[in-house]
Amino acid sequence: MDKMAPRKMDHLLGEERIQVLHDWIANLCDPEINFCSTLLTTFEKTCDRLSASSPREGRKAQPLDKFLRQHGIEEGRDGPIFSTLEDGTILEGRMKEGVPHGFFRIINVEGDVDLFCCMVKGIMHGVCWRGLKGGGFLVSGSTDFTSNDTMYLYPDCRTALVGNFYRGQMVSGQLAEVIGSTEFCCDSCGVLQPLLSRPKGQEYSYDPSTAIRISSQPLLPDPYEEEFVSVGCSTVEGAGQGLFAKVDIEIGTVISFYNGIRVPPAESSEIISKDEYRILLDDEHDLDIPVDMTSLEDYKATLAHKVCHSFSPNSEFETFCHPRFGLIKCITSTRDIRAKEEIFVDYRYNLSVSPSWYKVAWAKHQKFVRRMPDWKYAVNFGTHKVEKRSSVYF
């Protein structure tokens, strides 16, 4: 990353500075805020002036230049940019004398920040940010996120993997902790970047599953997941193992990951009858845990396959872009969860082809929650309709 001007570090460390970073990230991700305009109030007095008085080598933001050209924003344009493109993408920025000059933010149709950066006369100033599906972030001194000190921040924005990344893909990274934050060029700079502890320990790399291999290191745990959950004997009779909270967890927290081999999509009737652990990922793939990988003695790189079902869950499945496993599923809490409490999701099986234990559980749920008079009647009531595959998790 670009080097910061020499500054005393003590006041940049600690919980107060971490909270400053978290508040800044919340504003960065809020599409209702014209984030770039709010930062421009100090831009010309700080970033622009300091860059002019202390010129240094910089990089043109190639992906940004390409994006602007693709959407008809050519050289020669001056003034602010704020537009919603045809595909729903939100673009904010500023041009001066035909080149990018100011802060730029691109928010895609799914609400993730594709790119945030600061440009001074066409040259990148500070670090770039990219939000990833599920809540993680990339932070780099390069707009294509290629460098030997790129950061991946987990959704807590406290746990990080830092190291060598190529075009946003982790080549080799080590665990670090966010210990503070700093503005790039001066105290009024609008570009914030995390300050990390020294990276140490295990090296991690991009290791997506295939149709026949779930992971090259199936016994290497995820450091973020380890902070939140553990596996123990489920409180559900006959269910075997379950997933439990290790700490108090707030609503909306990503707490566990579901990796698996990537297999072609199956019809809902096939999913339950053949593959107990299969979960829908997207239109092209399902994820499945092979039979020989269901035990923690053989696989513990992710733990979400141990979660048990409930019709009154405290969590749900979402899609997640993981630095090691790529696009997978995660478990996110839907309410506050206390330490040692069991994690539950609603499996949302297609009731018509679900296993008998699920039908009985569903019927009893209808009886006690919806006051149906007879749980056997509830079973028959619920099996006359076949649901679409998109509503089936397992």
Side-chain angles (χ1 to χ4, degrees):
M1 298 182 190
D2 293 335
K3 293 182 179 179
M4 297 179 294
R7 300 161 66 194
K8 292 182 179 180
M9 298 291 289
D10 290 350
H11 72 290
L12 302 176
L13 306 178
E15 282 298 316
E16 184 176 340
R17 286 300 304 185
I18 294 174
Q19 188 58 52
V20 168
L21 177 67
H22 288 181
D23 292 342
W24 183 89
I25 292 173
N27 289 332
L28 167 67
C29 297
D30 189 345
E32 300 299 320
I33 298 175
N34 191 332
F35 188 58
C36 296
S37 294
T38 65
L39 299 178
L40 274 175
T41 55
T42 59
F43 171 74
E44 292 189 349
K45 295 180 180 179
T46 56
C47 308
D48 191 6
R49 178 177 58 82
L50 288 173
S51 294
S53 62
S54 303
R56 64 188 187 283
E57 292 185 6
R59 303 176 184 170
K60 291 195 69 175
Q62 299 294 342
L64 175 60
D65 290 346
K66 182 178 179 181
F67 182 89
L68 295 176
R69 288 194 301 272
Q70 286 176 339
H71 295 282
I73 302 171
E74 301 290 347
E75 294 184 5
R77 176 166 178 167
D78 270 7
I81 303 168
F82 183 80
S83 60
T84 301
L85 307 179
E86 290 184 3
D87 64 355
T89 298
I90 297 173
L91 169 63
E92 301 170 11
R94 182 170 178 259
M95 304 287 284
K96 183 177 181 180
E97 298 176 0
V99 296
H101 186 71
F103 298 96
F104 283 78
R105 181 176 70 160
I106 301 170
I107 300 179
N108 64 31
V109 67
E110 295 180 340
D112 297 316
V113 178
D114 270 350
L115 182 67
F116 171 80
C117 64
C118 179
M119 302 290 290
V120 178
K121 298 177 182 177
I123 302 299
M124 201 177 75
H125 178 77
V127 294
C128 297
W129 286 73
R130 175 186 292 168
L132 302 175
K133 187 181 295 293
F137 293 91
L138 289 175
V139 186
S140 177
S142 165
T143 52
D144 67 355
F145 299 89
T146 298
S147 74
N148 60 10
D149 57 357
T150 292
M151 308 175 194
Y152 169 82
L153 301 182
Y154 280 94
D156 64 350
C157 292
R158 291 176 177 269
T159 310
L161 296 175
V162 59
N164 184 14
F165 283 67
Y166 178 73
R167 294 186 177 179
Q169 190 175 105
M170 184 169 62
V171 178
S172 177
Q174 289 180 291
L175 184 64
E177 179 185 356
V178 176
I179 57 175
S181 64
T182 182
E183 295 81 4
F184 177 65
C185 64
C186 66
D187 290 343
S188 299
C189 180
V191 182
L192 260 67
Q193 64 186 59
L195 294 176
L196 303 181
S197 61
R198 185 179 297 276
K200 62 181 181 179
Q202 174 71 45
E203 288 194 357
Y204 301 85
S205 61
Y206 186 58
D207 181 30
S209 63
T210 67
I212 60 174
R213 178 182 60 78
I214 191 170
S215 174
S216 63
Q217 295 180 292
L219 297 179
L220 178 61
D222 181 84
Y224 173 88
E225 185 178 49
E226 277 194 308
E227 295 293 322
F228 287 95
V229 296
S230 61
V231 175
C233 184
S234 175
T235 58
V236 178
E237 185 178 356
Q241 292 180 318
L243 202 63
F244 291 83
K246 294 173 71 173
V247 296
D248 290 341
I249 296 171
E250 295 182 353
I251 184 175
T253 303
V254 174
I255 56 179
S256 187
F257 301 115
Y258 200 113
N259 183 38
I261 59 172
R262 297 171 194 269
V263 295
E267 294 300 324
S268 59
S269 59
E270 298 176 20
I271 293 175
I272 299 169
S273 61
K274 294 182 179 180
D275 303 297
E276 183 180 356
Y277 289 95
R278 182 184 288 239
I279 183 172
L280 185 151
L281 177 60
D282 54 29
D283 291 339
E284 297 182 358
H285 294 102
D286 290 346
L287 296 175
D288 195 11
I289 308 291
V291 175
D292 61 352
M293 288 290 175
T294 58
S295 169
L296 295 185
E297 295 179 355
D298 301 304
Y299 178 77
K300 58 180 180 180
T302 57
L303 300 177
H305 63 288
K306 293 297 184 180
V307 71
C308 288
H309 162 80
S310 172
F311 287 109
S312 300
N314 52 25
S315 302
E316 64 184 4
F317 281 108
E318 294 184 353
T319 305
F320 192 89
C321 185
H322 195 279
R324 182 175 162 199
F325 305 114
L327 193 68
I328 57 172
K329 287 290 187 176
C330 70
I331 293 178
T332 302
S333 58
T334 55
R335 64 167 174 79
D336 292 344
I337 300 173
R338 293 183 179 181
K340 300 184 179 180
E341 186 177 348
E342 185 165 3
I343 309 299
F344 290 105
V345 298
D346 185 347
Y347 284 5
R348 296 180 63 186
Y349 280 154
N350 183 329
L351 196 60
S352 299
V353 293
S354 63
S356 58
W357 68 262
Y358 184 87
K359 291 178 180 177
V360 171
W362 183 88
K364 289 182 176 179
H365 176 75
Q366 303 305 305
K367 175 178 174 60
F368 292 109
V369 175
R370 298 180 61 184
R371 306 303 181 190
M372 285 189 171
D374 187 299
W375 70 264
K376 292 183 179 179
Y377 167 77
V379 169
N380 294 326
F381 176 81
T383 55
H384 73 281
K385 181 180 178 181
V386 177
E387 299 179 5
K388 294 181 180 180
R389 179 177 179 275
S390 59
S391 68
V392 179
Y393 278 131
F394 289 87

